Amino acid sequence: QVQLVESGGGLVEAGGSLRLSCVASGSIIDKDMGWYRQAPGDPREFVVAINSGGITSYGDFVKGRFIISRDNANNTVHLQMSGLNSGDTGVYFCNASFLFVNDWGQGTQVTVSS
């Protein structure tokens, strides 16, 4: 239903911070939004989500380090990441969900140096 474009990934040192952004081609006001990540050879895993009502859900390993927020006026979701470690390395994908329809971005690479 919408196209999603992620940005903000890059190479950072352990302990560093990044802010990822996901811009949708249309309104996200009715959509549940989330971030997932995937390392090579591993399944995609849940990171954080924020539903259309603003309720957030955090994966156990990122709670306290990552913050998800949404800017409905700009059709954008952000993921503020701090205290990054090598386990956070992977491709981060933005997800938009409404009923049974799921849209995915192409992902943005996050690499944390060791």
Side-chain angles (χ1 to χ4, degrees):
Q1 187 172 347
V2 294
Q3 293 179 327
L4 304 172
V5 180
E6 303 96 335
S7 63
L11 175 64
V12 298
E13 296 181 343
S17 299
L18 284 174
R19 190 181 77 149
L20 307 184
S21 297
C22 170
V23 180
S25 62
S27 176
I28 63 167
I29 206 164
D30 295 323
K31 294 176 169 57
D32 302 330
M33 306 296 297
W35 289 92
Y36 294 72
R37 68 188 184 188
Q38 186 172 30
D42 292 336
R44 191 170 299 183
E45 68 174 347
F46 170 77
V47 180
V48 291
I50 182 168
N51 71 11
S52 61
I55 304 299
T56 57
S57 180
Y58 292 88
D60 290 340
F61 292 101
V62 300
K63 187 175 182 179
R65 297 188 297 126
F66 293 6
I67 300 174
I68 189 170
S69 61
R70 61 189 299 152
D71 181 0
N72 289 337
N74 291 296
N75 301 325
T76 302
V77 176
H78 300 286
L79 178 61
Q80 180 66 50
M81 306 185 295
S82 61
L84 291 166
N85 58 66
S86 60
D88 296 317
T89 293
V91 179
Y92 283 68
F93 297 91
C94 181
N95 169 261
S97 179
F98 180 72
L99 297 177
F100 295 103
V101 178
N102 280 272
D103 297 310
W104 295 90
Q106 293 299 306
T108 184
Q109 177 71 46
V110 172
T111 303
V112 183
S113 63
S114 59

